Amino acid sequence: MAITLEQIHYTYSPGTPFARVALQGVTLTIEKGDFVALIGHTGSGKSTLIQQMGGLLQPSEGKASVDGIDLSRKEKEIKAARGKIGIVFQYPEHQLFAETAYEDIAFGPRNLGRSPEETDRAVRRAMAQVGLDFDTFAQRSPFRLSGGQMRRLAIAGVLAMEPAYLILDEPSAGLDPRSRRLFFEQIVKSHKQQGMAIILVTHNMDEAARYAQRLLVINEGKLLYDAPPREIFAKYQKELEEVGLAVPAAARLAAVLRARGVPVPADIITEAELEKFLLTWVKKRGKK
Amino acid sequence: MLSDITLGQYFPGTSVLHRLDPRSKILATLCFIVIIFIAKSSASYILLCAFAICCALLSRVPLKLIYKGVKPVFIIACLTALIHIFSTKGGEVLFSYGIVTVTALGVEMGAKMALRLLLLLLFSSLLTYTTSPIVLTDGIEALLRPFKSVGVPAHELAMMMTIALRFIPTLLEETDRIMKAQTARGADFAGGSILTRLKSLLPILVPLFVSSFRRADELATAMEARCYRGGEGRTRLHELAYGTLDGGCLAVMLLLTAAMAALRWLS
Amino acid sequence: MLEVQGLKHYFTDEQGRTVKALDGIDMHVDDGDYVAVIGESGSGKSTLARHFNALLQPTEGRVLVDGMDTAAEENLWAIRSRVGMVFQNPDNQIVAAIVEEDVAFGPENLGVPQPELGRRVREALAAVGMTAYAQQGPYLLSGGQKQRVAIAGILAMAGRCIVLDEPTAMLDPRGRREVLATVKKLNEEQGITIVYITHDMSEALAAKHVYALEKGKVALAGTPEEVFSETDELERLGLEAPPAGRLAAKLRKAGIKINGNIIRDEELAEALWP
């Protein structure tokens, strides 16, 4: 049970002067329960890739499937597959449309043909997951909420489809540090409790380092690296910079300390790890 | 992708027609449309066709593209021709079967009507092929300016067109994004009766309207912050200026009009 | 350049309640200064920004731009040509369908004649490094490039102060770096006054002065060193100190002695291994 992409190629407007190659031979598998971060600069092919995973674009070449369902089949047949994959696009609050929050969240499950009882249960659960109180918000107009609440409502609309795989495209863009932290706490909880696979597209290397178990780096339509973040951030600092990316702030700080002669191990990529190391190191040094 | 839609029909180039002032081109096109309706004799149609072919060649726009511009009215032109062929009585009978009679006069009228339509479209598409929408807007504004005193809001119209041109690609992109987002939520936009189809468009149209209003609001604030206060006292980075080419254009159009008038009333 | 005295901005929301978006702000921005305004969503940052070029009028208090009161109608255009705004969404502030025409929009509104107008547009595009894109359509540009075009539009009005309202919130890291580098360069080389509104602390590090807002009031003010050393207070405001500052604070709490205000990576390295 997995999302598998085999040798996916994709070209926009093929055969015209405006043809643009977006993906060239991407092969990867995302297992149930994975927490994957996908990084790459703008135009590297990230958004094309997630649209392939969600069956929203047909590959020019290659094969994409979800839990064994071939995504190149007809509209009707891949509808079942779409139900397994939830995609939260950038600025998801811009897709809200219904008269009440309840109706908006129920849109997905109803489209998937769920019964009214199932839908109701899914809506309540999704609202609880994103921290929107049912009694307070269910009958409110989506357009009367604050920016942060709208974002959470839109995410609930995707969660209500109870996808096995959740793709999040820059979900924390524009949020302040506190909202950002709260958001990820909720996502990590959903990931752990329901075993939902998460594919996090982000520009924020700290988020990738802190939350993902696996990191995909994409550049010019090709998969550059596919390994645990610790390995990639420790080994390929220079290569990442060359493709317009960076390492997490903690890894950068670690590098500065290392250059000074502080023996920080190469595999430290989060602030918590660096703090733990420095505490033991300073104390050890104090004893000498 | 988007670029082809944005530029409308514009085919970038440096031909004589491209270099003409947009005002000259707009006026020449209007003039040509009027002349088409003066044409009566076969000789005048031949002259018009020759002129149109010369212009098409001068524009250096590939003939394939010009054909594409004219294609949409091809069927209408053919239909018009057929109607005239079958409904016009008079002249030598070429063909007769039951109540259907085709006369020489009918064929002539049909051909002329079809030609009128095709020439009309050919000329206006030459205008859009050789003038970018932005320059065209400037031209329209400049031509309307004298009518400001009688209440034609020339500057406002031009500003609206400019902003529309500016935001067409943005809105197309946005529509695409919203459609994909709703498709990912299982929305189905094809199939069903007209009512269900219209209803299924709501999840796209509502967000699109909401975001357009937001954009309009933000744009208005940004324009205000940049000292926008209407057309009064504004200068322009690119003021339109007539050149020798435009003089030539004027001469050619005068000659053509005179020739057409002569063919109609003197012969 | 900018002088804010007891600025209050109240408005009435849909339920008819009075919202105190700004509740007594005092602020002073010198000519050539580089000020960062930080605060979480709803702290009043954006409302404050809109007072600097008279898009909003004070409910109480005063805002002076080069001594001109923003409440006086006759000062409006002089103020707006002097203080320019860059907004969050790069798409919604570009008016024209060609880059150079957009840069010319401001000076055209002011009635700047040719050839002065053309010169200003050229110089403004050069200052933000966008000369090569002068003839392009904005939809072909990246977010960072669009924001640079917006900055050029202000320079072409001969603006002396740029107020940027979360200009990088919608940009990728590359666009972020472009905008920050452009702002820094204009401040250093042309002495343009910068007011930079953000909730990203690493972007506020480049400023000379930092104001942290909370519920329409100034909660912290000072140099970046002073403000970002207050890690607990920042946390309470829903903000975060830069990583080096956070780490220094944690080490201190664990009983390790670290001297001085630490906010940058190099400073922490210096303190740990002098």
Side-chain angles (χ1 to χ4, degrees), chain C residues 1 29-34 160 187-188 191-194 208:
Chain C
M1 183 84 223
V29 180
D30 276 325
D31 261 348
D33 208 343
Y34 187 154
R160 292 304 301 157
N187 177 254
E188 282 169 3
I192 305 268
T193 310
I194 304 288
K208 291 174 191 151

Side-chain angles (χ1 to χ4, degrees), chain B residues 85-145:
Chain B
I85 288 171
F86 292 120
S87 64
T88 315
K89 303 273 179 283
E92 189 190 337
V93 175
L94 296 176
F95 173 84
S96 180
Y97 182 86
I99 52 157
V100 182
T101 8
V102 176
T103 64
L105 189 65
V107 172
E108 197 190 318
M109 283 296 288
K112 281 180 181 171
M113 282 300 146
L115 261 181
R116 267 188 190 177
L117 262 176
L118 290 176
L119 283 174
L120 203 78
L121 203 76
L122 174 72
F123 230 73
S124 36
S125 50
L126 272 182
L127 171 68
T128 48
Y129 276 132
T130 59
T131 322
S132 81
I134 297 153
V135 177
L136 202 58
T137 309
D138 282 351
I140 294 172
E141 183 189 4
L143 287 174
L144 288 178
R145 220 176 280 160

Side-chain angles (χ1 to χ4, degrees), chain B residues 166 215 226 234-235 237, chain C residues 91-92 100 102 109 112 114:
Chain B
R166 153 76 189 82
R215 278 184 201 286
R226 291 167 74 183
R234 277 195 100 218
T235 47
L237 181 61
Chain C
D91 267 323
N92 298 354
E100 64 168 9
D102 187 74
N109 289 334
V112 175
Q114 285 281 25

Side-chain angles (χ1 to χ4, degrees), chain B residues 182-195:
Chain B
Q182 308 298 30
T183 309
R185 291 170 76 191
D188 197 354
F189 303 118
S193 67
I194 292 180
L195 198 70

Side-chain angles (χ1 to χ4, degrees), chain A residues 41-42 90-91 94 144 173-181 203-205 210 242-246 249-250 252-253 256-257 260-263 271-272 274-275 278-279 281-283 285, chain C residues 14 39-42 45 88-89 166 169-174 176-177 199-201 235-240 243-244 246-247 250-251 254 256 264-266 268-274:
Chain A
H41 69 81
T42 310
Q90 254 179 72
Y91 300 98
H94 293 174
R144 291 277 166 87
L175 296 182
D176 57 39
R178 196 198 304 254
S179 323
R180 207 175 265 256
R181 213 167 40 236
H203 286 311
N204 187 319
M205 302 304 144
R210 181 139 28 135
E242 273 164 18
V243 298
L245 299 168
R252 222 169 26 239
L253 178 51
V256 171
L257 292 173
R260 273 264 170 177
V262 182
E271 219 175 283
L274 186 58
E275 184 194 341
L278 284 177
L279 277 177
W281 175 75
V282 172
K283 277 184 187 140
R285 199 170 55 134
Chain C
E14 285 165 8
E40 68 178 336
S41 308
K45 307 184 296 268
Q88 183 177 10
N89 191 328
E166 296 191 41
M170 297 179 82
L171 306 186
D172 65 2
R174 193 178 285 181
R176 231 165 247 253
R177 281 198 294 273
H199 49 224
D200 187 326
M201 301 312 121
E235 183 96 3
R236 195 184 63 75
L237 298 175
L239 302 168
E240 283 175 333
R246 279 203 303 263
L247 214 52
K250 281 178 184 156
L251 294 178
I256 294 166
R264 293 180 184 86
D265 292 359
E266 292 73 22
L268 181 64
E270 175 74 32
L272 285 172
W273 193 272

Side-chain angles (χ1 to χ4, degrees), chain B residues 2-3 6-7 132 134 138 159 162-163 165-167 169-170 173 211 214-216 218-230 232-239, chain C residues 50 53 55 77 80-81 83 85 87 89-98 100-114 117-118 121 138-139 153 157:
Chain B
L2 283 169
S3 20
T6 330
L7 298 176
S132 81
I134 297 153
D138 282 351
M159 184 52 82
T162 306
I163 290 172
L165 285 172
R166 153 76 189 82
F167 278 93
T170 312
E173 223 175 74
S211 89
R214 195 188 52 242
R215 278 184 201 286
E218 286 180 19
L219 187 71
T221 309
M223 285 170 72
E224 207 184 320
R226 291 167 74 183
C227 297
Y228 181 68
R229 50 194 141 161
E232 221 51 58
R234 277 195 100 218
T235 47
R236 296 302 308 267
L237 181 61
H238 297 296
E239 275 297 347
Chain C
R50 281 162 173 69
N53 75 341
L55 283 173
W77 307 111
R80 287 189 185 159
S81 64
V83 181
M85 294 272 299
F87 297 91
N89 191 328
D91 267 323
N92 298 354
Q93 53 188 317
I94 295 186
V95 183
I98 288 185
E100 64 168 9
E101 299 229 2
D102 187 74
V103 175
F105 182 74
E108 282 177 349
N109 289 334
L110 296 172
V112 175
Q114 285 281 25
L117 180 57
V121 170
Y139 63 95
M157 282 197 291

